[in-house]
Amino acid sequence: DVPDPTLDIIEPHTKILTRDNGLPIVVYMHKKQQANGNIIYDIKALFCSNQACSQGNTVVLNNDPTSKGLRFGAAIDAHGFLMVAYGQQAGSVVKLIRCNDLMCQNISTTTLVTGVWSEIVDVEIGRDNLPIIAYENWLGGFSEVNVLHCGNDLCSSGNSITLLSNKGIAGGTIDIATASNGFPLVLYSKGDFSASTYDLTLIRCQNVQCTNSNEFILKPSLPISVLFASSLIIGNDDLPFIVYRKADQTLHSYSELW
């Protein structure tokens, strides 16, 4: 159980990370209803002090509680510091939170992109130890899939953005992972929201900026009804391992040999 007695509702998306000490860090979205009836959202991190997470310290990460996204991303950088990328509907922006110490007592927040509608965001650390953020930009019925490579730890300057696809489904899967060469892999839902199916698609980048990449359709014609249930990690054999859901609500795994 997460020791947070102030919770009203936890939104369904949650990330669990570990550092070298093996203790879990749970990042989650907290939905709260104020006395005036307004709904606000916090992104919180629970730093567990034991393996069972029966004790720990909870920190509010975002400084703009109007934020709301279907999925946020979280990663641990080369310094062992937590970072979270998320979309803010109210301001049509994508932001990055970076903790400047191990327990997030000091936090920096950077606006990465403006003028976008992005509910699906993920973040990883690249070969150069800099953050890489994958995010959607909803354009009505379909969405762009973009990758932003940060120019420094805080993503405050020198950033570059690469458009990977303009055939993503708004609100679909966007998951990013880093292979042993330090280059990103991006899993996304390819198709048209007006259709009844989509293709589960993987992009393998050939550099940290993803300016050169190859696209692979892994599972064609999956039903739209299971659009959100996909996840990507890299195994010890450096192969991508993917879990996705079929129309009968059963979970299936997929591993790709290159």
Side-chain angles (χ1 to χ4, degrees):
D1 291 338
V2 176
D4 189 344
T6 67
L7 287 182
D8 297 324
I9 301 172
I10 301 178
E11 290 293 280
H13 185 54
T14 303
K15 288 277 191 178
I16 301 177
L17 308 166
T18 57
R19 293 198 185 105
D20 292 341
N21 62 9
L23 294 178
I25 302 171
V26 183
V27 186
Y28 58 97
M29 186 168 284
H30 175 192
K31 176 181 178 181
K32 300 183 295 184
Q33 185 169 6
Q34 296 179 309
N36 61 6
N38 291 339
I39 299 296
I40 63 172
Y41 300 87
D42 293 331
I43 298 175
K44 294 186 174 183
L46 168 68
F47 295 88
C48 301
S49 56
N50 56 44
Q51 295 285 348
C53 277
S54 58
Q55 294 181 326
N57 182 50
T58 301
V59 178
V60 177
L61 299 177
N62 63 321
N63 57 9
D64 46 5
T66 58
S67 305
K68 173 69 165 68
L70 293 176
R71 294 187 66 178
F72 57 83
I76 303 295
D77 72 7
H79 307 285
F81 299 161
L82 174 67
M83 56 177 53
V84 176
Y86 67 100
Q88 183 192 19
Q89 288 181 351
S92 299
V93 298
V94 175
K95 292 188 174 185
L96 180 73
I97 299 167
R98 182 182 184 271
C99 299
N100 297 314
D101 54 71
L102 293 175
M103 298 301 292
C104 289
Q105 298 304 299
N106 183 275
I107 296 172
S108 300
T109 301
T110 304
T111 297
L112 303 175
V113 189
T114 60
V116 297
W117 185 276
S118 186
E119 291 191 328
I120 310 294
V121 183
D122 203 9
V123 61
E124 257 290 355
I125 305 301
R127 181 178 188 173
D128 51 7
N129 291 326
L130 294 176
I132 306 170
I133 294 93
Y135 65 94
E136 70 165 352
N137 180 22
W138 183 64
L139 298 173
F142 69 96
S143 62
E144 296 175 340
V145 180
N146 296 281
V147 167
L148 183 148
H149 175 260
C150 296
N152 56 37
D153 286 346
L154 298 178
C155 296
S156 57
S157 65
N159 302 337
S160 62
I161 297 175
T162 301
L163 173 65
L164 293 184
S165 173
N166 59 3
K167 298 183 182 298
I169 295 181
T173 290
I174 294 180
D175 242 24
I176 188 169
T178 305
S180 63
N181 62 7
F183 300 156
L185 290 88
V186 180
L187 182 72
Y188 81 102
S189 309
K190 182 177 183 178
D192 186 334
F193 201 76
S194 63
S196 59
T197 63
Y198 73 97
D199 298 333
L200 189 63
T201 305
L202 185 71
I203 294 177
R204 187 177 180 92
C205 301
Q206 302 301 324
N207 53 47
V208 289
Q209 292 87 5
C210 285
T211 54
N212 184 19
S213 62
N214 304 107
E215 182 177 277
F216 304 88
I217 294 178
L218 305 181
K219 289 293 178 181
S221 302
L222 291 174
I224 288 288
S225 59
V226 295
L227 184 63
F228 307 109
S230 304
S231 187
L232 164 70
I233 64 168
I234 304 298
N236 292 334
D237 54 5
D238 200 34
L239 298 178
F241 187 83
I242 296 156
V243 174
Y244 65 97
R245 191 170 69 191
K246 286 190 172 181
D248 59 4
Q249 305 301 317
T250 56
L251 289 175
H252 296 260
S253 63
Y254 180 92
S255 186
E256 177 66 58
L257 297 176
W258 301 105

